[in-house]
Amino acid sequence: MEELIPAFDDPDVKLAYCQSLIVDESDRVIGNYLETDYLKSLSPTKWKAPYCNPANKEIEDGLGVKNTILNISSVLFRKFDYSDEFIKTLTSMKFAGDWYLILNCIKDGKVYYSPKPLNYHRRHSRSVIGKLLNGKDEGMIRKFFEEYQIVVDFVLRNYRPSPQLRRNVYEYVCELWEQITGRQREELKEYFRI
């Protein structure tokens, strides 16, 4: 916390986070998110140095495409006003709740990042995402893409996404669809629109 709290000296900073190391079920460090294609596909360098970005830039840099803040336990955020509708939506989410919370929290503010690995994120095959990647539970697949749609709709309504960001979202959602289901992009239309 001592690394992130000073970021809030800037009253526009709504959220501060740090790098997370990946640990297995036995608490062994097994990876670093900076070395994964998940982040590298957006930028090979962005998360190697500290930064403080306006929310719109953070959205354009990738947070509008996928959740680049990979573990909510690496986050501190400033208290913000929220509606009953926000709470209702958030508490109904199983897959994208962290991302939806983050996007609401940073609106009209800034995001601070420290590349210091001060957080640990446990990954295991029994996680919700692990089960989703199995790709066999049709209800789970539908719920995942419904939540992704809610998040993308929020970005489209509350930020000013560029045409390139819109294309990036579409391409990434198609890749996810194919990865999770092994099915053709055309079938995605039943689950997701952009």
Side-chain angles (χ1 to χ4, degrees):
M1 290 208 317
E2 70 185 48
E3 173 72 20
L4 300 179
I5 287 176
F8 291 97
D9 290 344
D10 178 341
D12 291 333
V13 169
K14 306 283 183 159
L15 180 147
Y17 75 109
C18 64
Q19 183 194 152
S20 292
L21 294 176
I22 306 165
V23 297
D24 67 11
E25 294 158 343
S26 301
D27 293 333
R28 289 184 307 247
V29 174
I30 59 170
N32 175 332
Y33 281 115
L34 301 183
E35 302 306 319
T36 66
D37 288 339
Y38 187 84
L39 291 179
K40 281 183 169 180
S41 67
L42 297 169
S43 170
T45 58
K46 175 181 169 92
W47 291 276
K48 292 188 178 192
Y51 66 77
C52 188
N53 284 337
N56 281 337
K57 178 167 177 28
E58 197 68 12
I59 295 297
E60 288 291 329
D61 285 353
L63 188 58
V65 175
K66 55 186 167 182
N67 188 0
T68 56
I69 301 176
L70 295 166
N71 191 263
I72 200 73
S73 68
S74 70
V75 172
L76 296 177
F77 57 90
R78 190 180 299 276
K79 184 177 178 181
F80 66 100
D81 293 328
Y82 51 84
S83 67
D84 290 341
E85 185 62 31
F86 164 77
I87 294 297
K88 180 179 174 191
T89 301
L90 181 65
T91 57
S92 74
M93 295 179 125
K94 185 175 185 175
F95 298 100
D98 293 359
W99 191 19
Y100 184 68
L101 171 68
I102 290 162
L103 293 169
N104 276 269
C105 172
I106 67 171
K107 191 172 177 304
D108 301 321
K110 293 179 183 174
V111 174
Y112 172 82
Y113 168 75
S114 169
K116 293 181 181 176
L118 304 172
N119 187 63
Y120 296 93
H121 181 201
R122 181 169 286 106
R123 297 284 303 264
H124 53 85
S125 59
R126 295 181 318 274
S127 71
V128 173
I129 294 298
K131 291 176 185 174
L132 174 68
L133 292 175
N134 180 345
K136 293 182 173 78
D137 185 326
E138 193 65 26
M140 192 175 273
I141 292 168
R142 183 170 299 281
K143 176 78 171 142
F144 175 81
F145 284 99
E146 284 172 2
E147 290 183 20
Y148 206 103
Q149 185 75 65
I150 290 167
V151 171
V152 169
D153 288 348
F154 181 83
V155 169
L156 296 176
R157 277 192 321 273
N158 292 279
Y159 295 91
R160 295 175 295 284
S162 67
Q164 182 61 50
L165 179 71
R166 290 171 185 260
R167 285 190 293 276
N168 292 348
V169 167
Y170 178 75
E171 280 306 311
Y172 184 66
V173 169
C174 288
E175 287 172 22
L176 274 177
W177 173 257
E178 291 169 352
Q179 177 188 359
I180 292 168
T181 68
R183 301 192 305 232
Q184 298 297 313
R185 290 180 176 207
E186 294 74 36
E187 294 180 54
L188 175 59
K189 292 175 188 165
E190 182 184 331
Y191 295 80
F192 192 87
R193 65 175 159 55
I194 187 162

